[in-house]
Amino acid sequence: YSYQVVAYNAAGKGLTSDAISAHISVVFEVPYVADFSNEETFNQFQVIDANNDHATWKWEDMAKYAFCEHHDTNAANDYLVSLPIHLEARKHYVVTANVNAFGYGHEERFEVVLGRAASASSLTMKLIQPTVITSEFATDYEATFTVPVEGNYYIAIHGISDAAKYFLVAHGLSVTKGVEPTAPAAVSGF
């Protein structure tokens, strides 16, 4: 949000201040689900164009998804970063990214990363290792993880495709509670 201050008195309108931006942030709890078929959800995410090549994450209005566009000479290094999500220490969580390559036979690469700040230098914990995808069909990729310290964390889909590829498409990102190691085993041997 942004606002400006305008002074008024009996003589009329005075000068207008410079625009002041204020970001209102919320902290999400688990389960957390981001559905990129909704532009409002996409707009809650921070886009980081880490290599400053202007080929980065955007929202596709007609098809209703997020996509990381390609660059002809630079490999992708672009983050689609969530708002903060509160995670408890040593609890098991499952992160799921629903992604696909755009078009048959186009190879794309991504990873899902986590950090304590919404910056490329902080998003260093790999939740889903670098993964090559060629399918044009949306597919869930998931991993189980824990965090060492309770707090607010940011999760990002990191587009890392080679140069001159096409589009990495993201349909959703979610974090759910995982099975704790102390849970009883499933019943077997009927």
Side-chain angles (χ1 to χ4, degrees):
Y1 296 96
S2 64
Y3 64 92
Q4 293 178 300
V5 177
V6 181
Y8 288 93
N9 64 23
K13 178 180 172 185
L15 297 175
T16 301
S17 73
D18 291 334
I20 299 170
S21 293
H23 297 280
I24 299 172
S25 183
V26 298
V27 176
F28 287 93
E29 298 291 332
V30 174
Y32 171 79
V33 177
D35 176 1
F36 296 125
S37 67
N38 180 324
E39 186 177 15
E40 289 178 22
T41 300
F42 175 80
N43 289 336
Q44 291 175 356
F45 277 65
Q46 179 179 342
V47 172
I48 300 174
D49 181 5
N51 58 1
N52 296 310
D53 63 2
H54 306 291
T56 192
W57 288 98
K58 294 184 169 62
W59 192 74
E60 168 53 44
D61 186 48
M62 296 295 290
K64 310 281 189 221
Y65 55 64
F67 70 99
C68 187
E69 61 185 345
H70 76 283
H71 192 278
D72 289 337
T73 57
N74 294 333
N77 187 9
D78 303 283
Y79 297 81
L80 186 58
V81 187
S82 72
L83 288 170
I85 303 167
H86 184 81
L87 302 175
E88 296 179 50
R90 296 176 299 282
K91 295 282 185 183
H92 286 79
Y93 297 99
V94 177
V95 63
T96 304
N98 184 266
V99 298
N100 64 274
F102 185 83
Y104 177 75
H106 291 280
E107 184 178 278
E108 301 292 342
R109 196 160 35 112
F110 81 101
E111 62 187 2
V112 174
V113 292
L114 173 111
R116 295 300 300 264
S119 67
S121 62
S122 176
L123 294 163
T124 58
M125 183 178 170
K126 293 182 188 315
L127 303 181
I128 296 177
Q129 297 298 316
T131 302
V132 173
I133 56 174
T134 56
S135 176
E136 63 184 322
F137 300 104
T139 303
D140 284 339
Y141 295 86
E142 66 179 37
T144 301
F145 70 99
T146 62
V147 294
V149 177
E150 181 172 344
N152 300 331
Y153 289 83
Y154 297 82
I155 297 178
I157 300 174
H158 185 200
I160 53 173
S161 297
D162 292 335
K165 295 299 179 181
Y166 206 20
F167 297 141
L168 169 63
V169 177
H171 300 278
L173 180 68
S174 66
V175 179
T176 56
K177 289 185 178 180
V179 176
E180 294 304 320
T182 56
V187 176
S188 62
F190 287 99

